[in-house]
Every structure is written in C-alpha cells, then in structure tokens.
Amino acid sequence: MDELNVMKINLIWRASADAAKEMIKEAIYDEFDIATLSSYSNTIRIADFGCSIGPNTFIAMQYMVEAMEVKCHAQSQHLTFTSTSTSKLPEFHVFFNDHASNDFNTLFTSFPPDRHYFAAGVPGSFHGRLFPESSLHFVYSSFALHWLSKLPKPLLDISFHPQDRRRIHYMSAASSKVTQAYAAQFAEDIANFLNARANEIVAGGMMVLILPDLDLWRVMFNSLEQSLIEMVETGSICEAKVDSFYLPEYSPSPKEMKHLIETNGCFSIRRMELYDPLSKIDGPVCTPTMIMSMRAGIEGILTEHFG
C-alpha cells in the first residue's frame, strides 16, 4: 500500500469516527472516572488499536483527550487529582498500535505539533497481549476489528466450497458454509481481542469499538471480483490464484456482536448504536473516492497474493 492511498482523506472512515464523536464524549463525561483512575500515577494511558498512519487516529485522540481534560476540570472542583495538588491535570500517554508492517515512520512524522499527550508506537497483532496487566485506562479501535487474523481454515480447501470458485468474499458466496467459516473465525478473533484487553485495562477503564458495515462495500467487492474473473479469462492471472483468494474481512451484525461480547463475559456493554456514516457526508460520494478508499485497505493484500 503506498502512502498516497492512505493519506487521502478517507471520507467514509472519517464520517464514521465523526458520527461516534459525540457518543464517545458523552461516555467520557458520564462514565469515565478520570479523577480516580489518575489518582495513583497522575497519568492516563490510552491505546488506539489498528491506528494505521493517520490522520484519522490523530483526530480521534485529540477529541478524546480534550473531552477528558474537560472532565478533569469538572471533577477538580470536587475531587483531588493528587495528594499535593487540587488543580493539576493528569498527563496523557497515547499508544498507537498496528501490525509491525505498518509505516510507523510516517505515523511519527505526522504527529500534530500541538498535541496534549505523549506518544509511543506499539507494533504487533491486537489479537494478543501487547501491554502489561492493568496498564491501560482507555482503549479505542476504529475500522480495524473487522480484519480477520487469518483466512478461515476451511476456505483453504476448494472442495469445501466448489460452487464458490472465483468468489472473493462471503457476501458473494453461494454456500452458507463460507459465511459460517468467516463468522467462526471472527468469533475466535474477537474472543482473543477481548481476553487480551481484559488483562490490560484497569478496573473502571473504558473501551470504544467502531466496526464498519461491509455491506456499504458490497458493490465495490463485486466489481473487484468481476475484474479478477475478466483477468483470468484474458490470461492475465492464474485461475487457481483467484479460486484461492478471499478478502479476510467480516462484518458482524449488532445482535451477533452483542452475543459475542456477552458470551465472552469480560466486559459489559453500556451503549451500542447503529449509524450511517454517509449521512455525515455533504453531497454524494463519488466513485473515485470509494475506489480510493477500498484500494487503501486492500491493495497490500492483493499485491501479496497476486504479486
């Protein structure tokens, strides 16, 4: 994935974060006891899992830290943040996580100069532990958890789904077994994510997760699928390559996500909402913008598989 693709203003992702902005602020004001959480070390530690290289992660971190600062000022009128001061604000330490292959150099050189927090990069898969026990106060992840840790194992055997040759995603698959394989892999991944975060987040901490509805991309996925089929027919790529290719993305329904979280038992759901990011965009979203958005997310996967 080249830098230009990612640094393009991604309207869909930005609109999704903006739509959740007020909800996150309200959650911080109403539920996040920052005075108690910062009373031991005077530091609030925040982690963004699946940060990419910006700029969306910086925008999210800015309004979250600002909301926490407002909450601090409100609580400081009644509570003491430290044993020696009645007005000192806590310091904020933000950890930016993504896979080791993420371009952290670009991320670091893009940091806002006026940020109100210390920053660090944490490479590694968020499906496992990345931080010490009870070290994080606030966890955030946006447009990242829908990526599977690996392709569902049954899909590696073409005999498992012969009627779905040349299909590249569960939404276009003819067999329900394909969708079930995706769902099972996502369930395993989200359980691993929740178990890891349950160890890392302090008691009273908060987690905000934003997942996309991949149905928004159905037409684009189908177009990509048709383009690959045409490339097979013209001899540009090998048919076996297309038969063995599936996009490792899964979008759970709200009911499904609720069930997975409740079954895991590590966290309680305080609020869950559906919203349409397109409603936050003025005017129609043009096709080139949609194509650029999709390319930014999957170009690396296509290059790795097809060369």
Side-chain angles (χ1 to χ4, degrees):
M1 187 193 317
D2 62 56
E3 179 181 337
L4 176 62
N5 289 337
V6 183
M7 294 303 292
K8 286 274 189 178
I9 297 298
N10 194 319
L11 295 180
I12 303 296
W13 295 357
R14 177 72 59 80
S16 296
D18 286 347
K21 181 177 179 179
E22 293 307 315
M23 183 175 71
I24 295 172
K25 284 185 174 182
E26 289 176 11
I28 291 172
Y29 297 154
D30 298 340
E31 306 283 349
F32 195 63
D33 188 357
I34 194 167
T36 300
L37 291 172
S38 63
S39 61
Y40 297 103
S41 67
N42 202 48
T43 300
I44 293 295
R45 288 176 290 276
I46 305 166
D48 181 0
F49 291 92
C51 65
S52 190
I53 64 171
N56 291 340
T57 183
F58 303 136
I59 296 170
M61 293 305 105
Q62 177 181 338
Y63 72 68
M64 277 186 268
V65 168
E66 288 175 350
M68 291 179 190
E69 289 176 334
V70 171
K71 179 69 176 285
C72 285
H73 286 297
Q75 286 190 319
S76 67
Q77 298 176 12
H78 309 286
L79 299 172
T80 301
F81 286 110
T82 71
S83 60
T84 60
S85 173
T86 59
S87 60
K88 182 179 179 182
L89 292 176
E91 295 182 310
F92 298 94
H93 194 177
V94 177
F95 298 92
F96 295 90
N97 158 259
D98 214 313
H99 286 288
S101 58
N102 188 55
D103 188 355
F104 282 96
N105 285 333
T106 296
L107 178 77
F108 296 152
T109 57
S110 303
F111 277 144
D114 58 346
R115 65 185 185 276
H116 294 181
Y117 54 82
F118 296 96
V122 181
S125 170
F126 52 54
H127 292 112
R129 287 282 302 276
L130 291 167
F131 295 92
E133 185 176 353
S134 299
S135 60
L136 299 176
H137 301 97
F138 194 98
V139 162
Y140 173 81
S141 182
S142 177
F143 272 61
L145 287 178
H146 65 292
W147 290 105
L148 301 180
S149 64
K150 59 185 177 182
L151 193 66
K153 188 174 181 179
L155 300 187
L156 301 178
D157 181 5
I158 192 64
S159 64
F160 175 76
H161 51 107
Q163 67 270 50
D164 286 312
R165 291 173 59 251
R166 300 188 180 186
R167 302 296 184 185
I168 68 169
H169 200 264
Y170 72 92
M171 289 191 294
S172 64
S175 171
S176 62
K177 293 191 298 182
V178 172
T179 301
Q180 291 167 4
Y182 267 88
Q185 184 60 55
F186 179 82
E188 177 184 324
D189 286 349
I190 198 66
N192 289 336
F193 177 88
L194 294 174
N195 290 336
R197 304 295 82 78
N199 281 291
E200 296 166 349
I201 300 177
V202 302
M206 180 176 291
M207 181 164 65
V208 173
L209 307 177
I210 302 175
L211 280 77
D213 179 4
L214 294 182
D215 197 55
L216 288 171
W217 304 96
R218 183 187 295 270
V219 174
M220 302 301 294
F221 287 155
N222 290 344
S223 297
L224 173 60
E225 184 176 276
Q226 187 57 43
S227 296
L228 292 174
I229 292 173
E230 292 175 0
M231 292 176 72
V232 168
E233 293 173 348
T234 60
S236 301
I237 56 176
C238 174
E239 182 177 22
K241 280 284 189 180
V242 177
D243 291 344
S244 62
F245 179 71
Y246 272 90
L247 291 170
E249 301 178 75
Y250 181 77
S251 178
S253 68
K255 181 179 179 180
E256 186 179 2
M257 190 66 181
K258 182 174 184 290
H259 172 72
L260 292 172
I261 293 173
E262 291 178 344
T263 300
N264 176 264
C266 292
F267 296 90
S268 60
I269 300 174
R270 304 305 293 265
R271 187 170 177 180
M272 178 181 284
E273 290 190 11
L274 284 173
Y275 49 85
D276 179 10
L278 296 181
S279 66
K280 299 293 183 178
I281 298 176
D282 294 330
V285 179
C286 63
T287 299
T289 297
M290 294 290 287
I291 293 174
M292 186 63 72
S293 296
M294 186 176 74
R295 180 183 174 187
I298 68 173
E299 183 177 15
I301 297 171
L302 290 170
T303 301
E304 181 180 353
H305 186 83
F306 292 102

